[in-house]
Amino acid sequence: MTDRVLELLRTRPDLAELAAFPFDFDVGRARHCPQVHLASGAPLEPIAGDDTGGTYFLSGGTAVLHASDDGYASLLADSVSEALEIVVRLPWWCETITAEMDEEGLRAAIRAADDQAREDFAPDVDAQRAALIHGLGLPDRPLVELFALSESAPKRTEPDHVLLNSRYLLAYQLEEPFRQPLRDIVLGPGREALERMRSGDLDAREEVAGDPVLRAGVLRAAQFDRRDGDLPHLRFLLEQENAARTERFEERRLAAMLVASHGQDRDVALLRSATYGQVTGSAGAVEWARAEEARRYGRDLAAESEFTWIELAHRQGRVENARVALIRMLDDTGPYADRLRELSRALERIGDYPQAARAQFFLLSIQDTGWDRASEAYVLARLERCKGDLAAAGRALERARAAVGADGTTPDATVRQWHRRGLGRMITEQHLELTLAAVEAGDAELARATMAHGRCLLDTIGKNSAKALAGLSRRAKWAVAGLPTPRA
């Protein structure tokens, strides 16, 4: 459904002309180069442009996003109507208005700016503004309220309105004052629950006991905000983690460290169980806690790995927050193998295969040995296949074969026994998976070529590896056999 104000601008040339000049919202420039899309995958439509090369987008169906020609993008308003209110009543030439001004101060600053605009380029600005407000039916809300809306909107850009360059997948930048640290977002529920526990709220204890994700947030909050009197709450948290015995060993370890740091005799049995016998006495508990704190559970919030908050965001269901944090980290990452690998795997876990493949492609490009090139190339093939670019997956597997010498080239000494180890099985597995994907996509040429390589690999790798892939191999062979016979 088209927005009412946007429809008026598109069907009333007189209103469109007023919006374009002097207010610089030109529906005749509803285009943007380069091609872009939202990181969230939500709908995005260019609806207007400005004379500096910037573009206004309808983002997610209703909100208005502005992207500049120098790579910045931020939310302008929650609707087209609100966006027009802002650009008409708080126009671009009003550069001196600030949040500290009251209603009269704002009016005075705008009058002064309008006086200069009349002298420089818009002698009829008062009549133009009045005609546009009347024609579009814009409300006459207090300027203080409108300015507050204009100030708050950019702070809501992340995570749902982050703009990406579609070719390179780089994110448009957002000015630092508008960005909220991910740690503050994901720690919010844990901090609130911890405060409720400290105040004696029994309902809070029940909520934390029944929610392992909330409990993880409480433990992280307690890690960075340690207070006298917290031991009973920490003991309770450790008891819950110890009883759950989930795969989330990290939280149990953190809870044990926090309890052990108090060195109480009554906690030794609980700590012995939680640490699998590493803690056997109260004196040793304090020493163990100090070592754990120095190694992994410090008190400096700023020093904590960003991946801690990304993982917690993912567990909390804040996938878009995690995605944006990872993309911005990737944009800022240089040729550092460990960092790129961690980013690739984290992006894959949240299902963002295009960004994971971007990280993996960079990672592959900096590998020095045949073994490492082959190891990272088969991962890239998997990611390219998962994102739907089967041709790119085929190219990645070609690089894997070249790295191990399976295409007749001479590999380096690091891959001398590749076919007898897990690497051979994994490269072969990706060939078979790509064969099936190519058949399903109707790409018979790619399917046949990939299966031919797969057969050679099955004859090369060890018998145990080939046996482990027997079921997948049969499916791939049957799929290729069912393809139409190629023309001569």
Side-chain angles (χ1 to χ4, degrees):
M1 181 177 179
T2 304
D3 182 279
R4 178 189 63 83
V5 170
L6 183 57
E7 183 65 20
L8 283 170
L9 289 173
R10 287 172 171 173
T11 56
R12 291 275 303 274
D14 57 326
L15 296 178
E17 184 177 352
L18 288 172
F21 183 83
F23 302 106
D24 213 11
F25 189 95
D26 189 350
V27 293
R29 297 185 181 188
R31 55 191 175 275
H32 188 78
C33 186
Q35 187 174 355
V36 293
H37 67 277
L38 292 175
S40 66
L44 183 73
E45 176 190 358
I47 57 172
D50 61 39
D51 62 8
T52 66
T55 307
Y56 295 95
F57 293 92
L58 202 59
S59 176
T62 56
V64 176
L65 179 74
H66 180 262
S68 69
D69 68 339
D70 57 352
Y72 282 81
S74 60
L75 194 67
L76 173 64
D78 291 328
S79 68
V80 178
S81 176
E82 192 176 291
L84 264 295
E85 284 186 73
I86 292 169
V87 301
V88 172
R89 299 187 65 208
L90 304 173
W92 58 268
W93 58 83
C94 296
E95 299 177 342
T96 61
I97 57 178
T98 66
E100 289 72 31
M101 293 179 175
D102 59 12
E103 187 75 13
E104 188 52 43
L106 286 172
R107 291 187 183 278
I110 292 171
R111 281 196 300 269
D114 283 351
D115 288 341
Q116 189 64 49
R118 289 188 201 95
E119 182 178 334
D120 292 344
F121 59 88
D124 299 323
V125 65
D126 295 312
Q128 291 168 315
R129 177 182 287 124
L132 194 53
I133 288 175
H134 176 74
L136 296 177
L138 300 179
D140 185 24
R141 74 177 84 209
L143 288 172
V144 168
E145 179 184 340
L146 184 60
F147 187 74
L149 288 174
S150 73
E151 289 284 282
S152 66
K155 298 175 183 177
R156 299 194 302 276
T157 303
E158 295 181 347
D160 296 324
H161 305 283
V162 174
L163 196 63
L164 301 183
N165 179 301
S166 296
R167 180 177 180 183
Y168 299 109
L169 300 183
L170 295 165
Y172 276 58
Q173 297 181 68
L174 180 65
E175 293 182 16
E176 197 63 34
F178 302 142
R179 294 174 62 177
Q180 184 178 6
L182 182 60
R183 64 172 182 258
D184 292 342
I185 296 171
V186 300
L187 278 176
R191 285 168 168 165
E192 190 270 341
L194 179 58
E195 287 304 318
R196 289 171 59 200
M197 290 174 64
R198 284 168 171 165
S199 69
D201 188 336
L202 297 180
D203 289 339
R205 288 172 69 93
E206 290 185 11
E207 290 172 20
V208 170
D211 188 340
V213 178
L214 178 58
R215 197 159 62 242
V218 172
L219 281 164
R220 288 296 179 180
Q223 175 186 348
F224 300 106
D225 180 17
R226 306 184 195 186
R227 300 185 190 178
D228 295 337
D230 271 355
L231 180 56
H233 309 308
L234 300 174
R235 186 180 293 127
F236 169 77
L237 293 168
L238 179 55
E239 287 169 347
Q240 299 304 313
E241 288 296 325
N242 210 34
R245 287 285 169 175
T246 67
E247 71 279 4
R248 306 301 309 186
F249 178 74
E250 190 74 17
E251 276 84 50
R252 188 161 70 250
R253 191 92 174 175
L254 171 56
M257 185 277 292
L258 292 170
V259 171
S261 64
H262 290 267
Q264 297 294 306
D265 289 337
R266 62 170 289 188
D267 295 319
V268 170
L270 177 61
L271 289 168
R272 183 185 295 113
S273 174
T275 64
Y276 298 100
Q278 287 183 280
V279 173
T280 58
S282 56
V286 174
E287 184 178 349
W288 177 84
R290 286 173 179 165
E292 286 294 300
E293 179 174 348
R295 189 165 65 95
R296 64 202 307 188
Y297 300 123
R299 306 183 188 211
D300 184 357
L301 185 60
E304 185 66 30
S305 169
E306 189 73 5
F307 288 103
T308 297
W309 315 126
I310 288 167
E311 176 64 20
L312 187 53
H314 191 195
R315 293 177 65 193
Q316 290 176 347
R318 304 176 195 268
V319 175
E320 291 309 314
N321 293 94
R323 185 198 313 278
V324 169
L326 287 165
I327 290 171
R328 294 206 184 279
M329 288 170 67
L330 178 55
D331 289 351
D332 294 337
T333 295
Y336 307 112
D338 290 343
R339 178 82 158 184
L340 287 168
R341 187 175 296 106
E342 197 166 5
L343 285 166
S344 174
R345 304 307 184 262
L347 285 159
E348 182 179 12
R349 282 196 298 275
I350 67 169
D352 194 331
Y353 298 111
Q355 292 286 355
R358 175 163 77 104
Q360 190 66 27
F361 183 87
F362 294 152
L363 176 60
L364 173 56
S365 70
I366 60 174
Q367 301 308 310
D368 296 325
T369 70
W371 183 277
D372 290 338
R373 285 193 293 273
S375 297
E376 304 303 348
Y378 92 80
V379 174
L380 177 60
R382 181 184 71 226
L383 295 172
E384 297 286 10
R385 174 173 54 79
C386 288
K387 85 174 191 184
D389 192 340
L390 303 188
R395 291 192 294 271
L397 289 179
E398 183 178 353
R399 296 178 71 174
R401 293 194 303 273
V404 298
D407 61 352
T409 58
T410 302
D412 64 37
T414 63
V415 292
R416 189 167 295 152
Q417 294 295 315
W418 71 273
H419 55 293
R420 299 186 183 278
R421 300 168 69 178
L423 181 59
R425 180 185 62 77
M426 290 183 286
I427 293 174
T428 307
E429 180 180 32
Q430 288 307 310
H431 279 78
L432 300 175
E433 293 284 6
L434 180 56
T435 298
L436 289 169
V439 171
E440 184 175 352
D443 191 337
E445 183 179 355
L446 177 61
R448 289 192 176 95
T450 306
M451 189 65 225
H453 291 298
R455 287 193 182 96
C456 292
L457 290 166
L458 285 166
D459 292 338
T460 303
I461 62 176
K463 291 182 179 180
N464 289 336
S465 295
K467 184 177 179 180
L469 297 174
L472 182 60
S473 174
R474 282 194 298 270
R475 287 172 52 212
K477 290 176 182 176
W478 291 340
V480 171
L483 290 172
T485 302
R487 295 180 180 179

